Amino acid sequence: MFYQAQINLIFAYLNYHTMNSTEKILILDFGSQYTQLIARRIREMNVYCEIYPFNKPPEISIDIKGVVLSGSPFSVRDQGAPKPDLSKIRGKLPLLGVCYGAQYLANSEGGNVYPSETREYGRANISELNTAHPLLKNISVGSQVWMSHGDTIMETPNQFITICSTHDVKVAGFEIKGEETYGIQFHPEVYHSTDGKELLSNFMEICKVSRNWTADAFAQSTIEDLKKQIGDDHVIMGLSGGVDSTVAATLLHQAIGNRLHGIFIDNGLLRKDEYEEVLESYKNIGLNVKGVDASDKFLNNLAGITEPEAKRKSIGETFIRVFEEESKKIEGASWLGQGTIYPDVIESISVNGPSQTIKSHHNVGGLPEKMHLKITEPLRLLFKDEVRRVGKALNIPQNLLARHPFPGPGLGIRILGDITRDRIKILQEADAIFINSLKKSNLYNEVWQAFAVLLPIQTVGVMGDERTYENVLALRAVTSVDGMTADWAPLPHDFLSKVSSDIINRVRGINRVVYDISSKPPSTIEWE
């Protein structure tokens, strides 16, 4: 019931913003892994866009200047394939079908879509194209595109005009005569489509959409929206030191001042000196924040728990109890502020439905309902990199904006096995050496996230003339844009050698250091 309420709230917020926002592009999601990437590419052009499930589209308004149909894991020939009603869009707004979207347009008009004789996955090259076509402006024969489909359009209806082909796919792109409706069987949003950004930019020109959606404009309009939304009320917000909550809190602070009451809880699982440093940083930028040291409660509740999800549950439940207890001390608060960002929103209203596992800790469980609080989420329209740009527009110090992501359960999921105060101290010391070394070597900003993991493994070592039997530490550093996918970072060998030596020599309890060279997928970024 709580999750349905969350979904309803999301739609209510998006509908509110639709009525009060600038021009936009609508993306209808058919479940493609690339849908968010389409939105990113469009937003990089300073064009605002929103993603909706194909079966839950918003009302078409004057602000919507064009529509994109995403790809899909389905075949149009599948019995349960998505079959949206496009009658309110076709011929009325510019429409671009990508992969499945293109195949659906062809199939719904009587064209033939069948499994390809040679399935195209990966790189292909444009072999023929209409260089005069507005969608293909500044794109040349030979341009590389990225294919990802098992079906292909074999025959098109009479009103379809082919505008480009590859060696294996005759109808790589088409236009429907008499409409600003187009389809392409490749993915322009991915990096491997070398002129993909150009094609999407051409579609923006066809849509005649304004390109004025910038970080500064977002910050200014959001602050004004928050003033109207909250009025004279007070807002409670749990802060973590992370980029999302910091930027969200700053927007709220600029809107309502000290009627924002921040709560920063020390769960005993933060990095070395992090509690004091973050609290000081918050106070330096003028936020009204209270620090709460609840480390004993968290660690006592974690005693003897080793299973990863059980750890997360324990940490989440303790957080809720502590947060609720502190919130009751704040009189007159009727709002709960949260640092929810757009991938969380998409997750909740996706074609596949809400993910309770992901949302439960992020949204503080059922706390808003329990405390009868309304939710305000200033960043729910932004991706992670956009959050940082807004933070820069708000003049938030770089030491806060550049912080690597840090999980809510903190070191609790980076200590595999038993969580004890001694093991926390060992990991804090080793992690501090790793992170500080990255900063001193100007490598910290070159990776998206870096951390150390204490393993429940002991190995034999030799220090001086003594035999040791101590812990193994794993180092992890990845490159990414938003954490959805990630590659392991190829840090210099001499750097890793020095870090390993420093950790083993300076941290009692560790005698072996290893480096994680797994990518996501198939691995996750965190170990638990």
Side-chain angles (χ1 to χ4, degrees), residues 25 27 38-47 49 204:
I25 298 295
I27 301 173
I38 299 174
R40 282 180 150 320
R41 294 294 173 258
I42 292 173
R43 289 181 177 203
E44 285 170 2
M45 301 172 200
N46 295 332
V47 175
C49 64
M204 297 303 105

Side-chain angles (χ1 to χ4, degrees), residues 417-431:
D418 279 327
I419 298 175
T420 65
R421 285 169 173 77
D422 286 343
R423 299 192 80 209
I424 292 171
K425 184 172 177 55
I426 289 172
L427 182 56
Q428 284 176 331
E429 294 295 332
D431 183 81

Side-chain angles (χ1 to χ4, degrees), residues 238-247 263-265 270 274 278-279 281-282 399-404 406:
L239 300 179
S240 66
V243 176
D244 299 341
S245 67
T246 300
V247 174
I263 300 172
F264 180 43
I265 297 172
L270 301 176
E274 186 170 30
V278 170
L279 203 54
S281 295
Y282 278 152
N399 69 306
L400 286 172
L401 283 184
R403 282 170 58 86
H404 288 177
F406 190 67

Side-chain angles (χ1 to χ4, degrees), residues 23 65 109 137 204 208 250 348 394 402 508:
E23 297 175 346
K65 298 301 179 182
E109 290 295 312
K137 188 172 61 175
M204 297 303 105
K208 298 181 177 62
T250 303
S348 292
L394 293 169
R508 187 175 295 276

